[in-house]
Amino acid sequence: MKVKTTTKSIEPNIADLANGWLKKYKLDYKLEQESLNSEIDKALSYYFTKNGGAGANRPDVKLLLQDKYQIFFPVLIEYKGYKGKLVKVDANGQVENRTVKNEPNLKNISAYAVNGAVHYANALLHHTSYTDVIAIGMTGYKDDIGKLQYEIGVYLVSKKNLGAGQRVGEFTDFSFLASKNFDAFIEKVNTLDLTQEELDKLKEQREREIDTSLIKLNNDIYQNEKGLGENDRVYLVAASIIATLGIPGKVSPLEKTDLKSSNEKGNKDGDIIIRKIRAFLDEKDIPVEKKNLILRTLENTLTTENINKVENGETQLKRVFTKIVDDLGIYYKIGLTTDFTGKLFNEMYGWLGFSQDKLNDVVLTPSYVASLLVKLARVNKDSYVWDFATGSAGLLVAAMNEMLNDAKNNIQSPDELTQKEIKIKAEQLLGLELLSSVYMLAILNMILMGDGSSNILNTDSIKDFDGKYGFGKPDTKFPADAFILNPPYSASGNGMNFVEKAMNMMNNGYAAIIIQHSSGSGKAVDYNKRILTKHTLLASIKMPIDIFIGKSSVQTQIYVFKVNEKHHKDEIVKFIDFSNDGYARSNRKKSSNNLKDIDRAQERYQEVVDLVRFGKSKLKIFTENEYYEGHIDPNNGADWNQSSPIETQPTLQDFKKTVSAYLSWDISNLLEQYAVDEKLGK
């Protein structure tokens, strides 16, 4: 009988070999129980462990190394002692630390050396000010003759790769960490670049993770934290995130341990958070009026008695703050360029008991539709973009991303690029939002994006806005040349009142709006006729009916305009049926991905942009049944939603086909009858 043997881990041998190298290079390394510094120690203790619970994360080895520019790089090393246990990657070659359900893949994190090291590195991205971490995994085994065989994996985990990790190269020992070699190693690290496609895939994955985390967070607060209204929850999230952002060298991020749950007057948890937010806003040089408005709004929630009441040694405020930082911190710390608060907003408002009509007014634009609007409005690095119903600023985030990318691709001077990026964020975006809770999310969103919050105004677009910058230079007109909009559909003309006012305040440029379908077929006739006396309708795009699935089932249309050029009756208008945009959507709360590309979705979105700009020559995926060049009557106002005409007049070819089919059928019947007659002997 054979006795089954279990392979024994040789991790002690691996650790002995590797730590011997570190001694040889005279590096000040710390083993798992030792402290590296308080910031890193706290981050490792805050983060969820390899088993999924709370407790301490203990890398086998920790180092903190400096390059020639005095920049610190934490180095985290994890050892294993089995063959084939270096790294587990997914189908895209990325370190596989998440499951298909977007939950931590604890099995991989625990079993594979690199996966464990990358997990620890993400703890530092989440809870410290370090933005670049070196994660090293090493494993090995003894071969048939008892010789030690080993392999090493070295990865950069940084804001640049959204915490996913990039393999640095091939290494046979740790000599790259030695002081004489470290600068050259960091130079190699700094050349690592993800392709746009890789970055897009990572961003998509991270966005799905955000959705999962937001559902978890909101469900937790909704179920377990009583007495918090919907606005309170929005303000608590905004306050918690602003307080934990920090400004390197000036304002330290607020930590969970800073909240003492004290009853002392002036030193309650709410007071501490407000002080940190005030310090942050002061350093950000936010205009005084805006700063006071933000502080007043947040103070109303943060200083209430109930939320600061100490029960069992803890306030509700500290408990909620902790949940927010733990569940969301990683996503805003890594600088994800997405409509973060838009996702937050949609999730939070999903719990509210709005009627369907009310809910329609707070539905936010999906990021891929926001990007489409931005491209249709021809936004570039020199554009001045405004939005008259900003919501969470998702459209402005998309515009800012487009502008920054265009600047990066077209400006070669690093100094000039830096100045342009500052100008884009400070001067070239303007948003208006009336609802105070949503306004606060828009402010937060643009602060998270590196601070394009300068010109987000809490103003009634129709009644009170005069077309000027709101803060800093209130007497200067905003020179808008790109207008993007998803209006509240309960507004006059389904929201066409916003369109008319905004475009009439522009000298030139383009506009792209997503609006209720009926606004172009009879619900906004007067607005439409007035608009066409000054502006040209370039395109009308019918969107999928389920674009806002779970929030609204209204049919929407995108209209694209050329500003300040009267529409003539002979103008060609491009009508596009975009009902099939290549995406399949579902509304399952527990789904890991409610949006799936099933038929070249990205290519379809680009083709729509090309068709609107260049016309029929760009038809590739779409057919002439989905793309039609026609005309509208400027004096009608209800003929904006046309489709490709169906040919009803039969052609000679149709006649020939019909006759041919009939003769074929008739002859077939005759032959069958002849065969029957033959069989019967007739």
Side-chain angles (χ1 to χ4, degrees):
M1 185 176 100
K2 287 186 178 179
V3 178
K4 186 177 180 181
T5 58
T6 304
T7 304
K8 189 177 179 182
S9 170
I10 64 156
E11 185 175 323
N13 306 71
I14 295 295
D16 186 55
L17 173 64
N19 292 344
W21 293 332
L22 298 174
K23 284 179 189 170
K24 176 182 171 184
Y25 310 137
K26 296 184 171 54
L27 293 171
D28 183 21
Y29 66 94
K30 306 295 181 185
L31 298 179
E32 58 177 310
Q33 299 284 1
E34 295 181 285
S35 171
L36 188 58
N37 69 28
S38 60
E39 187 182 16
I40 290 174
D41 293 344
K42 282 180 184 176
L44 292 169
S45 67
Y46 287 163
Y47 207 53
F48 68 91
T49 68
K50 292 193 294 183
N51 298 318
N57 283 284
R58 296 193 181 98
D60 291 319
V61 176
K62 307 180 287 283
L63 301 95
L64 193 57
L65 303 179
Q66 263 184 309
D67 68 0
K68 61 185 175 185
Y69 301 109
Q70 308 304 305
I71 297 171
F72 282 103
F73 292 86
V75 180
L76 305 176
I77 305 174
E78 183 73 355
Y79 300 133
K80 295 295 175 191
Y82 296 102
K83 185 177 182 179
K85 292 296 181 182
L86 181 66
V87 62
K88 185 76 164 67
V89 297
D90 60 21
N92 295 318
Q94 299 294 337
V95 175
E96 192 175 16
N97 278 8
R98 308 288 295 191
T99 68
V100 292
K101 293 183 178 179
N102 283 312
E103 295 168 348
N105 194 323
L106 301 175
K107 183 178 176 183
N108 289 353
I109 291 169
S110 182
Y112 293 88
V114 167
N115 297 64
V118 168
H119 168 77
Y120 297 137
N122 270 280
L124 270 58
L125 287 188
H126 191 143
H127 291 294
T128 74
S129 57
Y130 299 107
T131 57
D132 297 281
V133 185
I134 309 302
I136 301 173
M138 181 173 172
T139 191
Y141 64 98
K142 287 188 176 179
D143 62 18
D144 293 341
I145 60 171
K147 185 178 179 183
L148 187 67
Q149 304 289 345
Y150 64 86
E151 52 184 341
I152 298 169
V154 182
Y155 285 70
L156 170 69
V157 180
S158 77
K159 284 180 69 171
K160 286 192 302 183
N161 57 47
L162 307 183
Q166 284 172 274
R167 186 170 171 273
V168 180
E170 293 280 348
F171 298 92
T172 56
D173 59 23
F174 287 175
S175 58
F176 61 91
L177 296 176
S179 57
K180 64 179 181 180
N181 300 324
F182 191 64
D183 283 335
F185 170 73
I186 291 301
E187 283 178 17
K188 183 174 184 176
V189 164
N190 288 337
T191 64
L192 292 178
D193 248 336
L194 292 169
T195 65
Q196 192 58 49
E197 184 182 2
E198 288 171 326
L199 201 55
D200 287 344
K201 281 183 179 176
L202 282 176
K203 182 182 173 187
E204 192 178 312
Q205 180 183 330
R206 284 302 203 187
E207 287 193 347
R208 290 200 299 269
E209 290 172 28
I210 289 175
D211 290 336
T212 304
S213 295
L214 287 173
I215 291 168
K216 175 178 175 289
L217 171 68
N218 198 33
N219 197 8
D220 191 359
I221 294 176
Y222 183 78
Q223 297 289 346
N224 302 318
E225 302 298 341
K226 305 305 178 189
L228 295 177
E230 58 269 18
N231 285 356
D232 290 328
R233 280 186 281 155
V234 170
Y235 296 146
L236 282 175
V237 172
S240 299
I241 291 174
I242 292 173
T244 55
L245 285 174
I247 299 174
K250 294 180 178 178
V251 181
S252 60
L254 187 70
E255 297 184 8
K256 293 179 282 189
T257 51
D258 294 332
L259 299 182
K260 308 297 184 185
S261 294
S262 166
N263 281 315
E264 181 185 337
K265 188 175 180 181
N267 208 30
K268 295 179 180 179
D269 287 344
D271 300 320
I272 293 168
I273 294 176
I274 283 292
R275 283 200 296 271
K276 185 62 71 173
I277 292 171
R278 182 177 282 110
F280 176 86
L281 296 176
D282 284 344
E283 286 296 337
K284 278 286 185 181
D285 204 22
I286 301 285
V288 174
E289 314 99 285
K290 172 172 278 191
K291 180 174 69 175
N292 290 340
L293 175 62
I294 294 171
L295 288 169
R296 274 199 313 272
T297 305
L298 296 179
E299 270 179 333
N300 287 339
T301 294
L302 291 171
T303 58
T304 54
E305 186 177 341
N306 281 346
I307 206 170
N308 284 281
K309 187 190 298 180
V310 181
E311 292 181 349
N312 300 319
E314 186 179 54
T315 64
Q316 184 182 42
L317 179 52
K318 180 172 183 177
R319 199 163 54 243
V320 173
F321 175 86
T322 299
K323 289 172 183 174
I324 291 164
V325 174
D326 285 350
D327 285 353
L328 302 181
I330 183 65
Y331 303 113
Y332 59 81
K333 287 290 184 71
I334 61 177
L336 193 61
T337 55
T338 188
D339 179 10
F340 178 87
T341 67
K343 290 175 175 292
L344 174 68
F345 180 93
N346 268 338
E347 178 54 36
M348 289 198 150
Y349 276 72
W351 292 100
L352 305 183
F354 283 144
S355 69
Q356 194 62 39
D357 286 342
K358 176 71 174 173
L359 188 57
N360 284 347
D361 271 9
V362 292
V363 172
L364 302 177
T365 318
S367 59
Y368 56 96
V369 177
S371 179
L372 173 63
L373 291 175
V374 165
K375 287 178 166 61
L376 290 170
R378 306 191 190 184
V379 169
N380 60 54
K381 64 181 174 59
D382 298 317
S383 297
Y384 283 78
V385 185
W386 63 8
D387 177 356
F388 274 39
T390 294
S392 72
L395 295 183
L396 291 180
V397 168
M400 188 162 78
N401 287 338
E402 186 76 14
M403 295 161 83
L404 293 172
N405 285 337
D406 187 46
K408 186 178 177 183
N409 292 334
N410 290 287
I411 298 176
Q412 275 68 52
S413 163
D415 287 346
E416 188 184 336
L417 177 59
T418 300
Q419 290 307 309
K420 183 61 175 175
E421 288 172 341
I422 292 169
K423 184 174 181 180
I424 285 170
K425 293 175 183 179
E427 296 180 22
Q428 293 179 226
L429 298 154
L430 186 144
L432 308 167
E433 177 52 51
L434 184 58
L435 294 174
S436 59
S437 58
V438 187
Y439 170 73
M440 193 53 59
L441 283 178
I443 291 284
L444 173 61
N445 219 2
M446 299 309 273
I447 285 175
L448 288 174
M449 294 298 296
D451 209 353
S453 73
S454 308
N455 306 306
I456 306 291
L457 314 180
N458 190 196
T459 301
D460 188 317
S461 309
I462 302 299
K463 294 179 182 175
D464 301 325
F465 182 56
D466 60 1
K468 296 174 182 174
Y469 285 95
F471 299 107
K473 40 184 180 178
D475 297 325
T476 305
K477 183 181 176 185
F478 184 82
D481 57 14
F483 174 52
I484 45 180
L485 180 76
N486 175 11
Y489 301 154
S490 64
S492 185
N494 284 351
M496 290 304 289
N497 56 338
F498 290 94
V499 181
E500 181 182 29
K501 178 164 183 180
M503 292 200 301
N504 285 355
M505 297 174 87
M506 297 166 66
N507 291 328
N508 53 40
Y510 295 88
I513 64 166
I514 184 166
I515 199 165
Q516 206 164 344
H517 178 85
S518 56
S519 63
S521 57
K523 285 290 182 73
V525 170
D526 292 340
Y527 286 105
N528 294 353
K529 288 195 289 187
R530 286 199 301 270
I531 285 169
L532 294 178
T533 63
K534 296 182 179 180
H535 315 286
T536 301
L537 179 65
L538 296 177
S540 171
I541 305 162
K542 182 181 180 181
M543 297 301 286
I545 186 71
D546 58 353
I547 203 95
F548 297 110
I549 191 166
K551 307 294 187 299
S552 169
S553 58
V554 66
Q555 176 65 61
T556 56
Q557 202 89 3
I558 288 177
Y559 299 122
V560 184
F561 299 92
K562 186 171 186 180
V563 174
N564 214 14
E565 194 171 294
K566 178 181 176 179
H567 191 108
H568 296 277
K569 63 183 178 61
D570 294 327
E571 300 276 5
I572 290 176
V573 180
K574 292 151 185 173
F575 297 97
I576 302 172
D577 184 349
F578 199 28
S579 301
N580 175 16
D581 69 346
Y583 284 121
R585 301 169 187 81
S586 64
N587 187 32
R588 292 170 294 167
K589 277 285 181 186
K590 295 184 179 178
S591 175
S592 60
N593 183 12
N594 285 333
L595 184 74
K596 291 183 179 175
D597 185 341
I598 59 169
D599 187 8
R600 300 168 290 173
Q602 291 184 14
E603 293 91 334
R604 285 174 180 272
Y605 274 78
Q606 185 56 49
E607 187 164 322
V608 166
V609 174
D610 292 340
L611 286 169
V612 171
R613 186 152 193 181
F614 305 114
K616 193 173 180 178
S617 64
K618 293 298 181 181
L619 270 180
K620 292 190 183 86
I621 301 173
F622 294 102
T623 67
E624 293 192 18
N625 289 331
E626 296 160 300
Y627 176 78
Y628 162 60
E629 295 184 352
H631 302 87
I632 60 171
D633 177 0
N635 298 313
N636 184 321
D639 58 350
W640 290 16
N641 303 332
Q642 299 180 32
S643 55
S644 183
I646 298 169
E647 184 60 65
T648 56
Q649 184 73 30
T651 63
L652 180 60
Q653 190 63 30
D654 293 329
F655 176 72
K656 286 179 178 178
K657 275 185 183 177
T658 304
V659 171
S660 175
Y662 174 76
L663 289 174
S664 177
W665 172 80
D666 196 35
I667 291 168
S668 176
N669 277 351
L670 286 172
L671 289 173
E672 282 181 19
Q673 188 59 46
Y674 177 76
V676 170
D677 290 348
E678 280 282 301
K679 200 170 183 182
L680 296 173
K682 289 185 180 179

